[in-house]
Amino acid sequence: MVLYLALAGSSRRPLLSFTKYFSAEEFIAAITQHIPDKGFQMVRYYGWYSNRARGERAKREIESGAPEAADVDVIDVSEYHPPRIPSKKWRELIKKVWEVDPLICPHCGAEMKLIALIDDQSVIEKILRHLKLWPEQAAPACLSRAPPPTGGERIVELCFDDPFPDYDNEPVTAYANDPACHGVA
């Protein structure tokens, strides 16, 4: 048995009270009638988009006068591209996958501080050439391997000819045992 007690008015001074007894099944049936259908939109507009707020804004605009087109400065931002900032989770992802902290110095073990993000390929190449760490044009490592076995399964091994592939715009589709990867027919 379920006792349903409804109070109208404030909780301190009820104006009207209503009491009804239900069996458990009847109570669940009565309550579930108030559940909206899937996808039914309950709240239409609230806050800035509510009819009341829009009406008040329109009234204030009429009273104060709408701004003239000459008073408005238009700034063209169509060519602006904000700098790419890496996600704050990149450190945790590297630690999780490679089990090494990328911001710990391998020589002294002190924590390093990120001071710049260089993503321009020409600047990276210039820095690495100065440090004599830039690889000279040698035969790609994937050409020196044995040919794939015939009649067996295809070996899928990525071919990294480009030291700085652009993974955002073009997918890596070349494979080590694919002759088209090296321009060999």
Side-chain angles (χ1 to χ4, degrees):
M1 212 45 154
V2 176
L3 171 65
Y4 177 75
L5 174 65
L7 300 176
S10 70
S11 60
R12 284 183 264 159
R13 295 188 331 174
L15 300 174
L16 176 69
S17 64
F18 171 75
T19 306
K20 186 168 182 180
Y21 288 96
F22 291 99
S23 70
E25 293 85 13
E26 290 172 343
F27 179 72
I28 291 173
I31 290 294
T32 56
Q33 289 178 357
H34 298 286
I35 299 173
D37 293 333
K38 183 176 181 178
F40 183 77
Q41 186 175 357
M42 295 290 288
V43 177
R44 298 291 182 194
Y45 297 106
Y46 62 95
W48 179 265
Y49 298 107
S50 68
N51 287 334
R52 180 175 157 246
R54 287 187 300 135
E56 288 175 358
R57 280 195 310 273
K59 188 192 289 186
R60 279 194 307 264
E61 245 179 55
I62 291 171
E63 289 172 358
S64 66
E68 294 294 324
D71 297 342
V72 178
D73 293 334
V74 177
I75 300 171
D76 182 22
V77 294
S78 60
E79 296 299 319
Y80 176 73
H81 299 290
R84 228 174 91 193
I85 300 171
S87 168
K88 293 185 185 277
K89 294 183 178 181
W90 68 272
R91 182 180 187 179
E92 284 76 24
L93 291 173
I94 291 173
K95 283 167 51 175
K96 184 177 182 179
V97 172
W98 300 104
E99 297 177 356
V100 64
D101 192 347
L103 293 182
I104 298 295
C105 178
H107 301 292
C108 66
E111 186 167 352
M112 297 185 286
K113 181 179 171 186
L114 187 67
I115 57 171
L117 173 66
I118 303 171
D119 60 355
D120 185 12
Q121 183 174 353
S122 61
V123 175
I124 294 170
E125 182 178 349
K126 186 176 178 182
I127 292 170
L128 291 177
R129 282 191 188 278
H130 176 74
L131 296 173
K132 296 182 180 19
L133 297 173
W134 184 258
E136 295 302 322
Q137 293 296 339
C142 54
L143 283 181
S144 62
R145 298 173 189 227
T150 57
E153 291 184 18
R154 180 182 170 123
I155 300 171
V156 178
E157 186 174 334
L158 295 177
C159 178
F160 296 108
D161 287 334
D162 185 8
F164 296 102
D166 187 10
Y167 294 115
D168 294 336
N169 297 326
E170 53 190 47
V172 178
T173 56
Y175 299 98
N177 58 350
D178 188 2
C181 172
H182 310 289
V184 180

